[in-house]
Amino acid sequence: MHILTTIGPDNATKAVLPFIAGKGAMTRDETVAMFAMQEATYLGAPGQADLSELKAPGLPPVQAVLDALQAHDALDEFLVCAPCAEVRGITEADLAPWATFGGADDLARQAAAHDTTMTF
């Protein structure tokens, strides 16, 4: 599954949803490629967003879902839009070990490699 997300920590209720969708794919033995743009770039920078506190009512925190995805080798790739991050002051040093910068070509590559793309 390919997931494109633009929602960041300023909307915890919606920010967790892409990760929940990814967990759903994981339960079907699928892998997930995520691309974070706009406010979602903060999700790939631990100093910018505490993923252990980011959750929606009735759902687990983003960090718990992310841990599950990683434990099952279900997170193929988590790309942070480089231009989006740059204007928000996020540098490569800020990125989580599981996140990397990417651009429009990477977004297109991810989408082409998957049968399903979900957007949040």
Side-chain angles (χ1 to χ4, degrees), residues 49-103:
D50 184 355
L51 301 184
S52 65
E53 294 294 323
L54 193 60
K55 62 182 178 178
L59 296 175
V62 168
Q63 188 64 58
V65 181
L66 181 59
D67 290 345
L69 290 170
Q70 290 175 314
H72 290 90
D73 290 324
L75 184 63
D76 273 342
E77 188 174 43
F78 188 98
L79 293 177
V80 173
C81 172
C84 299
E86 182 179 342
V87 299
R88 289 166 177 80
I90 298 171
T91 68
E92 191 165 347
D94 297 318
L95 292 181
W98 41 265
T100 57
F101 282 134

Side-chain angles (χ1 to χ4, degrees), residues 1 3 7-8 11 21 24 27-31 34-35 49 54-55 66 90-91 98 101 111:
M1 177 183 290
I3 298 174
I7 302 165
N11 189 336
T27 63
R28 296 174 41 87
D29 292 325
E30 296 177 29
T31 59
M34 297 181 79
F35 196 94
L54 193 60
K55 62 182 178 178
L66 181 59
I90 298 171
T91 68
W98 41 265
F101 282 134

